Amino acid sequence: YEKCISLKSSYIEAYKELAKLYRSIDNNTKAEETFNRLIKNNSDNPRLIILRATFYKQTKEYAKAIPDYLQALKIDAKEPKTLYNIGYCYEMEGETDKAIDYYTKSIKQKESEIAYWARGYIYKKSGKLQLAIKDMENNLRLDPNNAQAYLVMGNSYFDLGNKQNAVECYTKGLKLNPKPNIKSLLEYGLENAK
């Protein structure tokens, strides 16, 4: 790949594969250097910044990913996936207000079950239970088989003192044959709500 890049510094796939190789041997420093070279050698293609942002997100370097994603927004301010990724990175950095803002911007551009889920989950954690329920309802409208959404809704209804709706949510979630950890939480919620 290095030879390929030396022959044609604009060959994007060679950089991507080289970075992938470095990541496979746990050398994220070299992978980052590869992405930096890619961007430097192809400065006429500003969209490449998203590749580095995605690398930072995958390596959980959210503080580094955010500026790259924000730079990408200068190219396309209405890209819902980029808006979602910024929200995710802010959430991982503990900046929930900014995360909610970017999840909301993402949803306004294009409804997405994952953005509804993420925003609703933050609402639940911050005690905004009615907003959490609404977002989980929207998530389920787009992804009717999401048992976790029923869990968050059930927990939200339970916290509001509405045990009847909580029982309905837990029961619906259990009917979806959820993963074992979600199933256990749904069963626990159902037991407490009865």
Side-chain angles (χ1 to χ4, degrees), residues 136-150:
M136 292 305 155
E137 286 172 344
N138 282 317
N139 171 277
L140 287 163
R141 180 174 47 82
L142 299 171
D143 180 12
N145 296 315
N146 186 353
Q148 279 187 289
Y150 281 113

Side-chain angles (χ1 to χ4, degrees), residues 133 137 140 146-147 149-155 157-158 162-176 186-187 189-194:
I133 291 167
E137 286 172 344
L140 287 163
N146 186 353
Y150 281 113
L151 176 63
V152 173
M153 281 178 57
N155 290 344
Y157 278 122
F158 184 85
N162 188 335
K163 291 184 178 182
Q164 181 180 347
N165 282 2
V167 167
E168 287 177 26
C169 290
Y170 297 136
T171 303
K172 287 179 182 178
L174 286 167
K175 288 180 182 177
L176 296 175
L186 285 163
E187 289 171 342
L190 183 60
E191 187 178 309
N192 283 337
K194 285 187 172 182

Side-chain angles (χ1 to χ4, degrees), residues 18-31:
L18 182 60
K20 189 189 302 182
L21 277 175
Y22 281 130
R23 287 213 51 217
S24 72
I25 60 170
D26 292 324
N27 193 337
N28 288 339
T29 301
K30 283 287 199 183

